[in-house]
Amino acid sequence: MEQHISRSKDYSLATITTSGYRIVVAHITVDTHQQNSALDQAIHHVYPETLLSGAGKLSRDEFLNAVNLLGASVSTGISEGRLTITLRSTSEVFPKLLQLVKTVLTAPTFASAELKRIKTTVRNELHIKQEQSSVIAREQLRNSFYEPSDRRYTAPDEDIVTALSEVDAKSLRTYHQKVLSSLWTCSIAAEGSSIAQFTKLIKVVKQATAPMIETGSHSQHVPKQQFLSKQIPSKSNIDFSLGVPLPITIHHPDYVPVTFALGVLGIPGFAGRLMSTVRDAEGLTYSIYGYTESFSGIEQGYIRILTFFTPEKTLQGLTSTFREIKKFFRGGISQAEFETFQTIFKTKQTLLQDSLLKQLADLHSFNLNGFTIEEMRQFKARLSTITRTQVNTVIKKYFDPKLFTVSAAGPVSTVQKDIQSFLKNVT
């Protein structure tokens, strides 16, 4: 299957041209981030569903029924200020699905009754979120790494609920105009005829709107040790997010070695050090994994380790976790680990070829970050060409346990002082 990326002033288009595969999947992502106020975030909560809640002469029910009758789907969502619209159908009905999507993009109604319904849903979701300890632990961590204007910062739920009163059809139309005029990042896996139809839709919609290029606010804090907590007495476990902000983008020479290093420490599965010790050998948790998060071609991200412990095992669990991070920081990875994870990462890339959907998601991610096909191939090749010395160098540079922030959410009150005392002695 041939992959290609082309760019213009209005949009980029990544394609995977298939043969004999009658399914079409396409993504349109639009980065609308600027200042990230509570009102911005309230709009982000409301807009994705309102966009699909009536367009042209079609009501919400009529539009959704028309999509369902095609055996197709249209989904929308906003994460970190980026709207993504995903289309799925067979190639036979794809032209009809595109006509429905064109109506949504060019003539959304933003009906007041639908807006009222969606606001109620959002308020309920934000209320339910108060019990989602893993989500709260992650938000606390991210908020400590970035300024409130940065896309990664989440405003207090009560501020978003208050701002919902300001979201009306006018503000949604203003936001929709920003969506239409901003740069689109588009990716599709399909046969050639469906790719041509998708390209035509993009050109028609984009040509009707003057382009707008605006820069979003991005401000990352310097790493430092912090302890953040929220008491949620109804939970039985304490969810943790531990991490460090890294002052690099994905184009920085350190990024690939950091990805390799974090894999050795906490790759999902049982191969990582943390799972093989804290979980498997000591039985202190069910899962403990590490991820690079929110890095882009122009913005700096962070590393995060997520896990949970019962209150009774929290101190023991954190002691074991930081013991492993300390050993990692001081000793780096062994030659055996280096060789093992070279094989693991190579195998992951090979397995990617077994799923067209995963290939498209992978290509879309590189498209979002401004890569050419050749740059994407070179980037992936670096995982097999980096050295153990390069990996150990970034471990000494970025994985200092004294700089890790610990964020906890759950029944933390009984162990909060113990955690604070423990962190003071992390060396």
Side-chain angles (χ1 to χ4, degrees):
M1 290 180 285
E2 181 182 350
Q3 297 188 357
H4 183 262
I5 296 177
S6 60
R7 302 188 186 281
S8 72
K9 63 181 177 65
D10 295 327
Y11 65 91
S12 67
L13 176 62
T15 61
I16 300 177
T17 305
T18 64
S19 178
Y21 190 79
R22 307 299 291 175
I23 302 299
V24 181
V25 182
H27 304 300
I28 300 171
T29 296
V30 188
D31 189 350
T32 64
H33 166 64
Q34 286 177 274
Q35 291 300 311
N36 198 36
S37 66
L39 177 57
D40 290 330
Q41 293 178 52
I43 291 173
H44 296 170
H45 277 283
V46 170
Y47 176 83
E49 187 169 350
T50 57
L51 186 63
L52 302 182
S53 295
K57 296 181 180 180
L58 299 175
S59 68
R60 173 179 178 270
D61 289 342
E62 289 169 337
F63 170 78
L64 294 177
N65 186 53
V67 173
N68 290 334
L69 286 174
L70 295 176
S73 69
V74 181
S75 61
T76 56
I78 295 180
S79 176
E80 297 185 353
R82 298 183 187 94
L83 165 72
T84 295
I85 303 170
T86 297
L87 317 179
R88 294 181 176 87
S89 78
T90 62
S91 55
E92 288 79 7
V93 304
F94 191 56
K96 294 181 179 179
L97 178 62
L98 288 179
Q99 284 301 312
L100 290 169
V101 172
K102 180 183 177 183
T103 302
V104 162
L105 292 171
T106 58
T109 55
F110 300 124
S112 57
E114 292 297 335
L115 180 56
K116 181 179 179 181
R117 174 186 64 81
I118 293 166
K119 282 185 177 183
T120 299
T121 300
V122 171
R123 291 188 185 96
N124 290 338
E125 290 173 345
L126 290 173
H127 178 71
I128 292 171
K129 199 188 85 176
Q130 300 306 307
E131 297 293 311
Q132 295 173 337
S133 51
S134 61
V135 173
I136 292 170
R138 181 173 183 249
E139 283 188 357
Q140 289 179 157
L141 185 78
R142 289 160 61 94
N143 284 359
S144 73
F145 293 161
Y146 299 96
E147 286 293 315
S149 59
D150 192 282
R151 70 170 77 244
R152 297 153 190 80
Y153 189 94
T154 303
D157 292 338
E158 57 269 24
D159 291 355
I160 297 175
V161 169
T162 299
L164 281 172
S165 63
E166 300 179 52
V167 179
D168 55 17
K170 181 180 178 180
S171 62
L172 289 171
R173 292 188 185 283
T174 299
Y175 182 78
H176 185 68
Q177 190 61 32
K178 182 190 292 187
V179 168
L180 295 179
S181 58
S182 297
L183 181 72
W184 286 15
T185 301
C186 311
S187 303
I188 181 171
E191 294 183 323
S193 59
S194 295
I195 292 174
Q197 294 155 4
F198 184 59
T199 305
K200 182 179 179 181
L201 168 74
I202 297 166
K203 289 181 176 179
V204 168
V205 175
K206 293 299 290 178
Q207 286 173 356
T209 310
M212 173 187 69
I213 300 176
E214 297 188 13
T215 303
S217 173
H218 172 57
S219 182
Q220 186 187 67
H221 296 159
V222 175
K224 65 177 181 179
Q225 186 189 87
Q226 301 175 78
F227 174 58
L228 314 164
S229 67
K230 181 171 182 179
Q231 170 72 1
I232 307 177
S234 61
K235 309 298 288 186
S236 57
N237 296 316
I238 303 173
D239 277 287
F240 285 91
S241 279
L242 297 73
V244 178
L246 270 56
I248 61 174
T249 70
I250 60 174
H251 295 301
H252 193 281
D254 287 348
Y255 179 76
V256 172
V258 163
T259 301
F260 194 104
L262 194 60
V264 177
L265 183 64
I267 195 171
F270 285 89
R273 284 197 191 183
L274 291 173
M275 273 291 281
S276 63
T277 55
V278 181
R279 195 275 197 193
D280 203 23
E282 300 172 73
L284 298 173
T285 185
Y286 185 76
S287 62
I288 179 165
Y289 301 134
Y291 299 92
T292 55
E293 298 199 346
S294 203
F295 288 89
S296 79
I298 57 175
E299 295 178 346
Q300 303 157 334
Y302 59 98
I303 56 177
R304 179 170 76 106
I305 296 168
L306 66 155
T307 188
F308 65 87
F309 304 112
T310 63
E312 296 77 18
K313 292 185 176 181
T314 287
L315 198 57
Q316 187 181 355
L318 288 176
T319 299
S320 294
T321 301
F322 274 91
R323 178 198 66 219
E324 294 303 316
I325 296 173
K326 187 185 302 182
K327 287 169 58 179
F328 192 66
F329 175 66
R330 292 179 175 175
I333 66 173
S334 68
Q335 182 62 30
E337 285 177 316
F338 179 69
E339 292 172 0
T340 296
F341 275 83
Q342 277 189 315
T343 301
I344 288 174
F345 282 115
K346 183 178 180 180
T347 301
K348 286 182 68 176
Q349 285 301 312
T350 301
L351 291 175
L352 193 66
Q353 305 309 309
D354 294 337
S355 169
L356 184 61
L357 293 181
K358 289 182 180 178
Q359 287 182 58
L360 181 62
D362 183 62
L363 179 63
H364 189 60
S365 176
F366 281 100
N367 187 16
L368 278 167
N369 288 301
F371 282 75
T372 65
I373 293 295
E374 183 56 32
E375 287 169 341
M376 180 181 76
R377 290 170 179 159
Q378 292 173 357
F379 182 89
K380 291 185 174 186
R382 285 204 65 209
L383 273 173
S384 60
T385 60
I386 59 173
T387 65
R388 179 187 166 206
T389 298
Q390 289 173 318
V391 175
N392 284 337
T393 297
V394 300
I395 291 173
K396 292 295 291 184
K397 194 172 182 179
Y398 300 117
F399 286 79
D400 188 343
K402 296 194 302 293
L403 298 179
F404 270 68
T405 289
V406 175
S407 174
V412 71
S413 61
T414 58
V415 293
Q416 182 158 326
K417 290 183 179 179
D418 292 334
I419 296 173
Q420 291 170 327
S421 297
F422 166 77
L423 291 176
K424 287 179 182 178
N425 295 312
V426 170
T427 58

